[in-house]
Amino acid sequence: PMTEVRAGDRVVVGRAGTRVFPPEAEGRRRDLFEFMASPVSSERPKAVSVREVAQAMRRTRAAGEKVIAVLGPAVVHTGGGELVGKLIRLGYLNVLFAGNALATHDLEQALYGTSLGVDLTHGRPTDEGHEHHLRTINTVRRLGGIRAAVEAGKVTGGIMYECVKAGVPWVLCGSIRDDGPLPEVVTDVIACQVEMRKHIPGAGFCLMVATTLHSIAVGNLLPAWVKVACVDISPATVTKLMDRG
């Protein structure tokens, strides 16, 4: 990585002596008039895309490679945490990359049944619910961290709980807007890149859901041959990933 280059390192320069072969693009006929040809189209049948992602995850696991999950807090806000937990239990998610928000609201859901103060069962704001995520952070900090909170029996469910129980490693990268943050959050972004790179070797598939910044950041770290599936409310996130170097 360029950030780790130091004086004395051997660096390839010039245009002779090095040849790069980019991965072969999937062959497609370009002479056809097509509707919904873009993979970013909101009008494509979603069941087909979901099946393709599921099959890719199965193939990756069968090949003995890792599936990396890059998740944003909307996964918890929309009630998807339970499904992600099931994927972890079944062995389909092997590494988690996220930020302070996903972990905080996942733990808030485990402690209070809310996400950003909204009751996930009824979909309504709760009394004093705006304090829940801060109380969650303080509780976890007092206990010594996420793993300690699970081992103490304080946290009994959720994505982070399943990661601890299944031995799935995680890297939580900080942001300038974070509350707290949780003890395990790495607030130095360069240090966070280094930590993420440690888990990338052996990866065969990456599932990115609802996080523009983390998805693009991880996309820039992944080798070009690692297949990526991105689900985001913003088409620009998907487009940026498709255009990565």
Side-chain angles (χ1 to χ4, degrees):
M2 283 190 284
T3 54
E4 296 176 22
V5 173
R6 298 291 180 266
D9 289 346
R10 302 189 69 187
V11 180
V12 177
V13 296
R15 298 179 181 178
T18 301
R19 189 173 183 183
V20 177
F21 293 91
E24 292 184 16
E26 294 182 9
R28 287 189 58 195
R29 292 179 62 187
R30 295 293 181 182
D31 57 343
L32 296 177
F33 177 78
E34 298 175 290
F35 285 112
M36 298 184 291
S38 169
V40 191
S41 173
S42 61
E43 297 174 323
R44 294 185 75 204
K46 296 296 173 283
V48 175
S49 300
V50 172
R51 279 197 298 271
E52 288 173 356
V53 171
Q55 288 166 1
M57 292 171 72
R58 290 193 187 100
R59 286 195 299 269
T60 302
R61 192 169 97 155
E65 297 174 325
K66 295 185 293 190
V67 177
I68 298 175
V70 185
L71 307 177
V75 171
V76 179
H77 300 331
T78 54
E82 184 179 341
L83 299 173
V84 173
K86 186 175 181 181
L87 285 173
I88 294 170
R89 287 195 301 277
L90 293 173
Y92 283 102
L93 298 181
N94 312 114
V95 180
L96 172 64
F97 292 160
N100 180 66
L102 173 96
T104 295
H105 297 303
D106 173 68
L107 294 165
E108 176 194 343
Q109 182 271 327
L111 294 175
Y112 296 97
T114 62
S115 181
L116 266 182
V118 175
D119 188 302
L120 290 180
T121 303
H122 303 103
R124 291 192 296 268
T126 57
D127 189 36
E128 304 294 336
H130 64 284
E131 297 180 357
H132 287 179
H133 73 287
L134 296 173
R135 293 187 181 279
T136 297
I137 291 170
N138 288 338
T139 297
V140 174
R141 290 178 75 89
R142 277 195 297 271
L143 290 168
I146 298 169
R147 192 177 304 278
V150 172
E151 291 171 350
K154 189 72 175 177
V155 174
T156 57
I159 296 172
M160 304 312 297
Y161 170 86
E162 297 294 349
C163 283
V164 172
K165 290 299 184 182
V168 169
W170 66 73
V171 180
L172 303 178
C173 292
S175 158
I176 198 169
R177 64 184 180 179
D178 284 343
D179 290 321
L182 290 163
E184 281 92 342
V185 173
V186 181
T187 55
D188 182 328
V189 293
I190 301 300
C192 215
Q193 284 184 14
V194 173
E195 286 302 309
M196 286 194 290
R197 284 192 177 98
K198 292 178 182 177
H199 297 285
I200 286 174
F205 187 76
C206 187
L207 178 63
M208 303 173 169
V209 184
T211 168
T212 299
L213 295 177
H214 283 84
S215 294
I216 295 169
V218 174
N220 289 338
L221 299 178
L222 291 173
W225 62 80
V226 176
K227 287 195 175 294
V228 171
C230 179
V231 184
D232 203 282
I233 196 171
S234 169
T237 304
V238 184
T239 302
K240 282 176 178 287
L241 281 164
M242 290 171 64
D243 292 342
R244 67 193 169 109

